[in-house]
């Protein structure tokens, strides 16, 4: 399961990078070497009566895109998007607005 999660993290990292690059207008951002450390994805976790469970029907994606780049001014904070791909299908943009708290963008798919 760990390998699958790591693979999903890498794919999501690539998608966020693509969207960050495509949303800049004047310059291409330079990414930090540890940029992948600022994104994670996994099944949604809920806690009920002190018991934590995973909801295998939903994926939560958390990213701090401004910490991924060397120059934050190149990023339009209002247009950060995520794209997902299922199997051999095409890429789909997540249309929902992410929640944002403390510079961390969070999507639930």
């Amino acid at each position: 399961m760990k390998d699958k999660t790591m693979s999903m993290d890498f794919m999501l990292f690539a998608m966020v990078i693509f969207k960050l690059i495509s949303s800049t207008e004047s310059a291409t951002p330079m990414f930090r070497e540890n940029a992948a450390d600022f994104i994670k994805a996994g099944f949604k976790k809920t806690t009920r009566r002190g018991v934590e469970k995973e909801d295998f029907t939903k994926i939560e994606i958390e990213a701090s895109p401004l910490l991924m780049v060397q120059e934050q001014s190149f990023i339009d904070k209002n247009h950060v998007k995520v794209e997902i791909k299922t199997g051999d299908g095409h890429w789909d943009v997540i249309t929902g607005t992410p929640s944002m708290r403390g510079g961390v963008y969070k999507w639930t798919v």
Side-chain angles (χ1 to χ4, degrees):
M1 184 65 156
K2 181 72 173 168
D3 291 336
K4 190 177 243 184
T5 301
M6 289 175 62
S7 176
M8 187 180 350
D9 287 347
F10 177 75
M11 294 252 327
L12 289 168
F13 172 68
M15 290 180 283
V16 169
I17 286 175
F18 171 75
K19 292 310 289 181
L20 287 173
I21 291 171
S22 65
S23 68
T24 60
E25 293 181 18
S26 61
T28 301
M30 297 296 295
F31 292 95
R32 298 178 188 208
E33 289 182 23
N34 65 340
D37 294 342
F38 298 104
I39 186 166
K40 67 179 182 174
F43 295 111
K44 182 174 178 140
K45 294 181 182 180
T46 57
T47 304
R48 292 188 183 165
R49 296 185 178 178
V51 177
E52 186 175 271
K53 294 184 179 184
E54 287 186 325
D55 183 350
F56 297 108
T57 63
K58 296 180 183 172
I59 296 175
E60 284 187 330
I61 304 161
E62 292 184 6
S64 301
L66 299 178
L67 296 177
M68 295 177 177
V69 296
Q70 293 177 1
E71 180 59 49
Q72 296 178 0
S73 64
F74 293 147
I75 306 302
D76 184 351
K77 298 175 206 172
N78 297 317
H79 291 95
V80 177
K81 299 195 184 315
V82 171
E83 294 183 4
I84 60 170
K85 180 178 179 181
T86 305
D88 292 332
H90 59 281
W91 291 95
D92 293 317
V93 176
I94 303 298
T95 56
T97 304
S99 64
M100 191 179 88
R101 181 174 280 170
V104 177
Y105 292 76
K106 183 176 181 180
W107 294 266
T108 301
V109 182

